[in-house]
């Protein structure tokens, strides 16, 4: 019996995403686990603190659409079906916590830049995911 049945891979859609995905796919194959890809788009209003008196809906919609297209490309490359590709809007840590519980995930895989100093071991998102997820979390070191 496998330890992991469902693995959620949270990626940031940068050129570093394949480093995280390649390891997640290996783990998924080794355990015969279902793989889910997740990207969290932060609300545009967060960047401006809500201080801009304009409607940012169209910009947010464009970001969501672009993220879905990129995630679909990764889904195709890594054989992850559309039902297991999720783009959501919110704070990455909170959304990953929510999805991992809703989807009954056994393992969350995230990338980590391994910064020094304040973010000594994990990036802020990876650290936030670790300190609130009820399942195992694996941080993949980004080279």
């Amino acid at each position: 019996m496998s330890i992991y049945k469902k693995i959620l891979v949270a990626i940031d859609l940068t050129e570093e995403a394949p480093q995280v995905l390649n390891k997640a796919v290996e783990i998924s194959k080794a355990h015969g686990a279902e793989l889910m890809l997740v990207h969290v788009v932060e609300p545009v209003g967060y960047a401006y603190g809500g201080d801009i008196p304009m409607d940012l809906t169209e910009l947010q919609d464009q970001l969501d659409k672009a993220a879905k297209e990129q995630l679909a490309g990764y889904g195709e490359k890594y054989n992850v079906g559309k039902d297991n590709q999720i783009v959501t809007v919110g704070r990455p840590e909170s959304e990953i916590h929510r999805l991992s519980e809703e989807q009954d995930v056994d393992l969350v895989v995230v990338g980590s830049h391994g910064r020094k100093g304040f973010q000594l071991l994990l990036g802020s998102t990876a650290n936030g995911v670790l300190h609130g997820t009820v399942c195992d979390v694996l941080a993949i070191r980004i080279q």
Side-chain angles (χ1 to χ4, degrees):
M1 183 158 144
S2 177
I3 296 173
Y4 301 120
K5 294 181 181 91
K6 190 181 276 190
I7 300 171
L8 184 149
V9 185
I11 56 174
D12 60 7
L13 302 178
T14 65
E15 66 278 353
E16 299 164 338
Q19 292 180 50
V20 177
L21 284 165
N22 289 332
K23 291 205 177 170
V25 166
E26 289 177 33
I27 294 165
S28 170
K29 287 179 181 176
H31 290 274
E34 179 181 357
L35 203 59
M36 298 183 66
L37 304 182
V38 175
H39 175 71
V40 182
V41 178
E42 290 195 61
V44 176
Y46 282 5
Y48 302 105
D51 292 337
I52 295 184
M54 63 171 40
D55 185 8
L56 300 172
T57 305
E58 188 173 329
L59 177 58
Q60 189 73 56
D61 290 345
Q62 289 174 354
L63 290 172
D64 293 351
K65 182 181 177 195
K68 286 177 182 173
E69 289 171 0
Q70 282 185 276
L71 197 66
Y74 283 121
E76 188 175 320
K77 182 176 180 179
Y78 292 92
N79 298 316
V80 177
K82 292 243 183 251
D83 290 347
N84 282 346
Q85 300 171 24
I86 300 171
V87 173
T88 185
V89 177
R91 295 203 47 80
E93 305 87 359
S94 301
E95 289 300 300
I96 293 166
H97 293 160
R98 179 183 65 78
L99 287 168
S100 66
E101 289 184 32
E102 282 179 8
Q103 299 293 327
D104 198 26
V105 169
D106 304 303
L107 176 67
V108 173
V109 179
V110 294
S112 172
H113 289 92
R115 292 181 174 89
K116 295 182 172 37
F118 184 70
Q119 297 298 338
L120 184 58
L121 296 176
L122 299 171
S124 58
T125 299
N127 192 39
V129 170
L130 178 64
H131 291 96
T133 306
V134 295
C135 63
D136 291 349
V137 177
L138 174 63
I140 304 297
R141 171 81 55 156
I142 302 293
Q143 301 299 320

